[in-house]
Amino acid sequence: MKPDFELDEEDRTQLIELALEARSHAYAPYSRFLVGASVLTQQGSLFHGCNVENASLGLTICAERVAMGSAISAGFQRFRAICVVSEGGVAPCGACRQFIREFGGDTVILLVDADERSLKKETTIGQLLPDSFSLKS
Ligand code: THU
């Protein structure tokens, strides 16, 4: 049995392809910054999401949270990895880091450059958000 956080090349490829596909559905007419995300659950299921903007800009939902919400609403709460695809392969915003961290510290985060379709960085949510907020001490 692989440790919770370990990924193989097939996992990475599937996550990247799915996030790229999701990015093609991004609704981002205001920022024009397209983001796609994919989630691999502990049980091996895959989910995806894209950013969804709104004329009332604060209502925008990030791709990561759409993907996580999709997985959670299907009954999954343990995540091996989350892949985020964008121009430049940027890291998740602070709100998304807190959102992802809610479900565990070992979740692997893959940051992918959309144009090169290549992995820019592989890290964990615990590394991206040390000393995260929790109601439990
Ligand atoms: N965005 C994401 O989808 N994920 C992030 O982690 C950061 C930002 C989106 C929100 C908005 O639609 C666009 O990128 C520019 O901020």
Side-chain angles (χ1 to χ4, degrees):
M1 176 89 175
K2 283 187 287 186
D4 287 357
F5 45 85
E6 198 175 293
L7 289 186
D8 61 28
E9 267 318 293
E10 195 187 333
D11 295 326
R12 288 190 186 87
T13 303
Q14 284 189 328
L15 281 161
I16 292 170
E17 292 300 322
L18 188 59
L20 280 163
E21 167 71 17
R23 183 174 179 264
S24 72
H25 302 298
Y27 177 72
Y30 305 105
S31 73
R32 305 213 178 276
F33 191 76
L34 310 178
V35 186
S38 56
V39 174
L40 176 64
T41 70
Q42 215 57 266
Q43 292 93 333
S45 303
L46 287 161
F47 294 88
H48 62 276
C50 61
N51 53 334
V52 185
E53 296 187 346
N54 191 273
S56 178
L57 299 176
L59 298 184
T60 292
I61 317 174
C62 292
E64 299 91 315
R65 278 180 280 162
V66 173
M68 298 270 296
S70 178
I72 292 159
S73 59
F76 298 93
Q77 295 189 357
R78 297 181 65 216
F79 306 108
R80 286 176 59 205
I82 298 178
C83 174
V84 188
V85 175
S86 66
E87 191 180 322
V90 298
C93 72
C96 284
R97 292 181 199 203
Q98 178 68 32
F99 196 92
I100 296 165
R101 181 66 183 81
E102 175 80 14
F103 300 94
D106 288 335
T107 303
V108 172
I109 308 289
L110 304 177
L111 303 176
V112 171
D113 182 290
D115 297 325
E116 296 180 1
R117 303 170 71 93
S118 64
L119 188 61
K120 219 185 121 188
K121 184 170 184 169
E122 181 163 334
T123 181
T124 66
I125 193 61
Q127 286 177 299
L128 286 180
L129 189 66
D131 301 323
S132 60
F133 171 72
S134 168
L135 289 174
K136 295 159 273 178
S137 59

